[in-house]
């Protein structure tokens, strides 16, 4: 009888340790995220599954990283692309992005620009100051835009995103799955 009890205690410890490791990984290192909406099309589609790295809080963020953050205007989480970092100026002129006065090509917008050649701009003109009343992005904040600029609710709408509200950086996309969890 003693061996049976030892076996149960041993399995209980193993399961307990596995659960603790899973909780630590889930809460401190990686988190799953499901894309909702069309604001990041064509890069990310509705219902894409992502793995979000929480390491980026310590590693830092770069221009054009795709991040998940707590939405400033709801209880949801949003996914957008970082365009401006602390100390940057941001401007959009004639569908060209300027960061600190330097023009940047945005290859992830190619699909939208090709579709809208005859219809107009993909991204309307703006300056950081027009949107936020700040000449440069202050320390502790980022400026974000969705890739589907015509429908994206982003920093043009709600302003700068506090870095403390960033959940993490998208590091892996897992293809869409159906309700049964099978890859579509």
């Amino acid at each position: 009888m003693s061996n049976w009890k030892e076996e149960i205690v041993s399995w209980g410890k193993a399961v307990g340790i596995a659960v603790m490791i899973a909780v630590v990984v889930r809460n401190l290192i990686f988190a799953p995220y499901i894309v909702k909406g069309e604001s990041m099309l064509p890069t990310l589609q509705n219902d894409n599954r992502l793995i979000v790295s929480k390491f980026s809080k310590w590693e830092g963020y770069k221009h054009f990283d795709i991040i998940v953050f707590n939405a400033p205007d709801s209880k949801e989480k949003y996914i957008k692309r970082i365009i401006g970092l602390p100390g940057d100026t941001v401007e959009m002129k004639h569908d060209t992005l300027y960061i600190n006065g330097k023009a940047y090509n945005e290859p992830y917008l190619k699909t939208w620009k090709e579709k809208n050649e005859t219809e107009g701009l993909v991204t309307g003109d703006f300056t950081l100051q027009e949107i936020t009343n700040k000449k440069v992005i202050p320390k502790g904040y980022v400026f974000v835009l969705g890739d589907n600029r015509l429908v994206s609710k982003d920093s043009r709408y709600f302003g700068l995103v506090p870095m403390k509200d960033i959940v993490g950086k998208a590091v892996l996309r897992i293809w869409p799955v159906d309700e049964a969890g099978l890859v579509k």
Side-chain angles (χ1 to χ4, degrees):
M1 197 60 132
S2 149
N3 284 343
W4 183 75
K5 287 181 183 177
E6 288 175 12
E7 188 72 21
I8 289 176
V9 168
S10 175
W11 275 101
K13 287 180 182 177
V15 168
I17 290 170
V19 168
M20 287 183 355
I21 290 171
V23 167
V24 167
V25 167
R26 168 75 165 82
N27 290 318
L28 298 177
I29 301 173
F30 295 104
Y33 179 77
I34 299 173
V35 176
K36 293 294 174 199
E38 300 177 343
S39 72
M40 286 299 291
L41 285 173
T43 307
L44 299 171
Q45 290 79 36
N46 189 47
D47 289 333
N48 277 165
R49 276 28 177 200
L50 303 176
I51 300 297
V52 175
S53 168
K54 295 183 177 185
F55 277 126
S56 49
K57 290 184 178 189
W58 301 289
E59 295 170 350
Y61 299 101
K62 299 184 305 257
H63 291 108
F64 311 111
D65 282 348
I66 296 175
I67 60 166
V68 173
F69 59 96
N70 297 314
D73 59 348
S74 75
K75 294 184 185 228
E76 297 177 40
K77 293 192 183 339
Y78 286 167
I79 184 161
K80 306 290 179 203
R81 190 178 296 274
I82 292 178
I83 299 299
L85 295 166
D88 286 346
T89 62
V90 176
E91 182 177 12
M92 185 64 71
K93 226 190 292 185
H94 307 297
D95 242 359
T96 301
L97 172 65
Y98 292 88
I99 302 172
N100 299 322
K102 179 182 174 194
Y104 282 84
N105 180 28
E106 297 180 278
Y108 44 85
L109 296 181
K110 182 179 179 195
T111 302
W112 298 123
K113 287 185 178 187
E114 288 170 355
K115 281 184 180 180
N116 286 327
E117 276 181 358
T118 58
E119 297 176 28
L121 302 176
V122 171
T123 313
D125 291 354
F126 68 83
T127 66
L128 180 68
Q129 189 160 12
E130 289 170 348
I131 293 173
T132 66
N133 291 323
K134 299 188 182 317
K135 289 184 179 184
V136 299
I137 299 170
K139 183 177 178 179
Y141 291 86
V142 293
F143 185 90
V144 298
L145 293 175
D147 289 357
N148 188 355
R149 304 279 169 80
L150 298 174
V151 302
S152 181
K153 193 182 204 185
D154 48 39
S155 285
R156 296 170 295 170
Y157 174 80
F158 51 70
L160 299 171
V161 175
M163 292 175 105
K164 68 178 178 54
D165 289 344
I166 298 174
V167 174
K169 178 171 67 168
V171 292
L172 179 66
R173 176 173 50 182
I174 303 168
W175 292 107
V177 294
D178 62 17
E179 294 77 28
L182 301 173
V183 176
K184 290 183 181 179

